[in-house]
Structure formats: structure tokens, C-alpha cells
Amino acid sequence: MNSKIWLSSPHMGGNELSYINEAFDANWIAPLGPNVNNFEESIKTYLGNGVEVAALSSGTAALHLALILLGVTKDDEVICQSFTFAASANPIIYQGAAPVFVDSEPDTWNICPKHLKLAIEDRIKKGKKPKAIIAVHLYGMPYKADALNEISKAYNIPIIEDSAEALGSTYKNKNCGTLGDISILSFNGNKIITTSGGGALVSKLPEHKEKAVFLATQARDQAPHYQHTQIGYNYRMSNISAGIGRGQMEVLDDHVNLRRRTNSFYKDLFSSIDDVTVFEEPNSDYYSNHWLSAIIINETNGKSREGLRVYLETLNIESRPLWKPMHMQPVFSNAPFYGTNVAENLFKYGLCLPSGSNLGEHEISRIKEGILNYFQ
């Protein structure tokens, strides 16, 4: 059997090992060290816009700390995009708060400004003004930042920008990761770049970084002994992981270009196949890293999302349904939801296809042959 073609596998650039060896040679195996500082600086330089960066153990940890920094506590409400991965919503529960889910709009598949506004107004009528909005750049596609920022300012509710999937994407030439009040990144193994695990909190306020680092290192007070006046967390990135990240930052733009090339391949491939739409930017304001390339299959000719997925699986090619919306998840079944059926239909008819920056010509040919065989 042919080797497995993964949806999105890690792709090393070459210099990662040199930074790891540097840490070993200097005996910087402790949780912090020069790689962490240098990795943070490289992200800061890349993003621009005067941001500060705190490297953490995961994107989920960054979301959790962002909620803490914005004062979210027990019995508060936080609005969250429904069409996303569970990690966008889970930290709300960590804080004892309650999620309020909002549907997507069809242009970018991200949180719908119209339903966001309706949700805010209805929660205020019910006596529960939301403390924050979690908006996601899904699959690398920027959300409608201007519209969301306008709503945020009008109601004085801060935005946590979940840019876990969107490092390297831009909205109106501004980097995703700099568009919210606090932003988060992920460096999980399947992301555009990886540190094996890991994430980062990004903010334009230096005090946000300072507080995030304090909380992420067990909230240890300034004292010669171990003293704690707040609950802390073990959320800081290790010096070894940050060494991988330094090497990955050197090839970030290359990885973005390669994933965008794969997206173009799919657009060409499906241009002659009826009832299939490839997810792409709605206009030139949006520049997606196309972390994952996705399609929608209009099931009118006996072909379906699940049929294609199962067929590719027989060829040892991984594909995956789009995210199941949070308001459809059993764990969130009692949470309020504002919207129609946009996210539900995306889940029902959508499929993510192999998108890794390390796909070779042989893998691309196998994917093409498999897809054409299924539809023909």
C-alpha cells in the first residue's frame, strides 16, 4: 500500500536541530532560556504593529490566560464563534463562565457580525452583558475584522482573536494575530509552523505580556522564597520547544506559499467538477495562509462529503469533515445559540483535504487521481 498522505503533518525547515543543540550545549534544558526570548522576538518582529509576545505551552493556555486578563470570572458570559475547534470554547468553562455561541457568515465562514450584534443585544436585555468575544480565523481565513471591531467598540466588549490557524494570513495588509484586543497563536503539530506543542499570547499592551508570563509561571511573587498571592499555571513554553520554533519561523513564509499553492491546485482540479466549491478569499482584503484547503460538495449527483472521505481513506489519503459546530456538541447542548444553519450546513457538506506544506509531486498526483476517479 502507498504511504499515508496526512491532512497536515509537521514540516521541518532544517535549522531547528541547531537551536536545540545550542540549548543542550549550554545546558539550557530548564523550562526557560535564550530560545524562548529569541522565539518571542522573532514572532514580534514578524507580526509588527507594536505587539508583545508571550510564548506558552499551547494555544489553549493562551486563550485561558486571555480570559483571565480580561477579567472573565465565574458566571460571566463570553460570546464564541460556534464553527470552530473545541479549544476555542473550553477555556470559557475553565473560568466558570458560560459560552454563548454565534453562527458563521458564508463569505469567510467566521463569526457573523449581524448575529453577533443580535446576540449582544439579547444578552444585555437578559441582564448579562458578555465580558468578551472570541472570534476565530477559521482554516487561515481572516474574519471580518472591521465589522467586528466596530461592534466591539460600540458595546465596549473586547475581542480575543483566535489566530491559532492563521499565522501568515492578513486582513487589509494587517497580520492576523494583531487584530484583536488580545490575540492567540498555536504551534500544534499540524499548524502552519510547529514547536511540537505550544502557543503564544499576543497583545499591544506590555502589561498583558507581563501578567501572562507571571500567571504562566505559577504566579510566583517577587520574594527569595516561594510565595503566591494568586493562583498560577504551568503554561510557559520550554526552551527546547522554542528552539524548534526559532527554526520554524525561518521558513514560515515558505510554508504559507506552499499551502497557498496547494489551494490553487485544488481550485484548478475542481474547476471542471460540478457541484464542488473550493473555499477561497471573498476579495482582495483577505489573504489566507490556507492552513487547510476545504471544499463544499453539493450532494445532487450521488456524490457526497462522506463518500469522498471514505473513498480517499481506501487510498490511504487522510481527509476530514469541517469542524462540528460547538452548539451541536453534546457538552455544550444547553448553551445559547444565535444564528441560522450556516455552520450546520458547512459541517454537513464540507471536507478538508490534504494541505501540508511538505506534499510532494507524487502525493499531489495521488490526490488528483483519487479525486478524479471518485467524481468520474
Side-chain angles (χ1 to χ4, degrees):
M1 180 179 283
N2 283 314
S3 60
K4 179 95 169 187
I5 296 178
W6 298 97
L7 191 70
S8 179
S9 61
H11 184 192
M12 296 294 100
N15 282 336
E16 293 85 358
L17 196 56
S18 65
Y19 294 116
I20 294 173
N21 287 335
E22 184 180 299
F24 272 81
D25 291 341
N27 203 30
W28 276 106
I29 312 302
L32 297 176
N35 279 336
V36 174
N37 297 331
N38 286 316
F39 184 43
E40 289 175 341
E41 282 298 314
S42 65
I43 300 169
K44 178 178 175 178
T45 300
Y46 185 90
L47 292 177
N49 294 309
V51 300
E52 298 291 338
V53 178
L56 302 168
S57 58
S58 68
T60 308
L63 271 166
H64 187 197
L65 293 182
L67 291 168
I68 295 172
L69 292 174
L70 294 177
V72 174
T73 58
K74 190 175 186 299
D75 297 329
D76 284 336
E77 290 189 349
V78 175
I79 289 181
C80 183
Q81 184 167 314
S82 182
F83 191 44
T84 185
F85 179 52
S88 299
N90 286 341
I92 301 170
I93 305 300
Y94 300 167
Q95 284 303 99
V100 175
F101 294 113
V102 172
D103 204 357
S104 293
E105 40 77 14
D107 296 332
T108 72
W109 298 1
N110 294 315
I111 194 167
C112 175
K114 181 180 74 173
H115 287 116
L116 172 61
K117 186 176 180 180
L118 289 172
I120 292 170
E121 291 178 348
D122 190 56
R123 302 322 291 176
I124 291 174
K125 285 180 183 177
K126 288 178 166 60
K128 276 281 190 180
K129 181 181 176 181
K131 289 289 285 286
I133 300 162
I134 297 175
V136 186
H137 302 299
L138 207 72
Y139 302 122
M141 187 65 67
Y143 58 64
K144 294 185 173 182
D146 284 351
L148 264 59
N149 288 338
E150 183 178 332
I151 293 170
S152 168
K153 290 176 183 175
Y155 294 94
N156 194 28
I157 302 173
I159 293 176
I160 298 174
E161 177 194 8
D162 185 341
S163 195
E165 303 169 4
L167 183 60
S169 300
T170 63
Y171 174 77
K172 293 186 175 179
N173 296 316
K174 293 181 180 179
N175 280 305
C176 291
T178 69
L179 303 174
D181 293 277
I182 300 178
S183 306
I184 73 99
L185 305 172
S186 172
F187 309 116
N188 191 30
N190 63 359
K191 293 301 188 292
I192 194 89
I193 62 168
T194 184
T195 58
S196 179
L201 183 142
V202 181
S203 175
K204 296 183 178 71
L205 300 179
E207 56 266 33
H208 276 167
K209 175 184 177 175
E210 183 180 345
K211 185 65 177 290
V213 170
F214 170 71
L215 293 171
T217 49
Q218 299 290 14
R220 182 182 172 186
D221 294 336
Q222 288 291 330
H225 52 276
Y226 288 95
Q227 177 168 299
H228 308 271
T229 52
Q230 290 181 253
I231 296 296
Y233 307 89
N234 187 14
Y235 280 171
R236 202 70 160 111
M237 181 178 284
S238 79
N239 196 49
I240 300 301
S241 294
I244 301 173
R246 290 181 69 186
Q248 288 277 280
M249 284 299 295
E250 295 175 359
V251 294
L252 171 55
D253 286 337
D254 292 337
H255 285 194
V256 171
N257 290 333
L258 288 165
R259 290 193 187 240
R260 286 178 58 83
R261 186 179 72 178
T262 299
N263 184 260
S264 295
F265 155 73
Y266 285 123
K267 283 190 281 191
D268 290 341
L269 177 61
F270 285 106
S271 63
S272 59
I273 299 176
D274 293 335
D275 299 322
V276 177
T277 303
V278 178
F279 186 36
E280 59 182 318
E281 293 93 336
N283 58 56
S284 60
D285 288 342
Y286 301 82
Y287 179 90
S288 174
N289 64 15
H290 290 298
W291 169 60
L292 292 183
S293 286
I295 58 172
I296 299 295
I297 301 177
N298 183 7
E299 300 179 2
T300 57
N301 294 315
K303 303 299 181 181
S304 66
R305 174 263 272 174
E306 190 61 7
L308 177 57
R309 187 192 69 80
V310 172
Y311 181 73
L312 291 176
E313 191 173 50
T314 67
L315 303 177
N316 215 18
I317 299 172
E318 184 183 25
S319 62
R320 190 174 298 164
L322 302 187
W323 300 123
K324 183 175 182 178
M326 292 300 99
H327 73 276
M328 297 175 67
Q329 298 286 353
V331 71
F332 294 122
S333 59
N334 295 323
F337 170 71
Y338 294 83
T340 55
N341 58 359
V342 173
E344 292 178 20
N345 284 334
L346 289 169
F347 168 62
K348 183 177 181 180
Y349 298 112
L351 189 70
C352 292
L353 298 171
S355 306
S357 51
N358 52 0
L359 289 174
E361 291 303 320
H362 177 64
E363 287 82 9
I364 290 291
S365 295
R366 283 176 55 197
I367 294 166
K368 180 177 181 178
E369 181 180 8
I371 290 172
L372 291 177
N373 285 342
Y374 176 75
F375 282 99
Q376 292 173 1

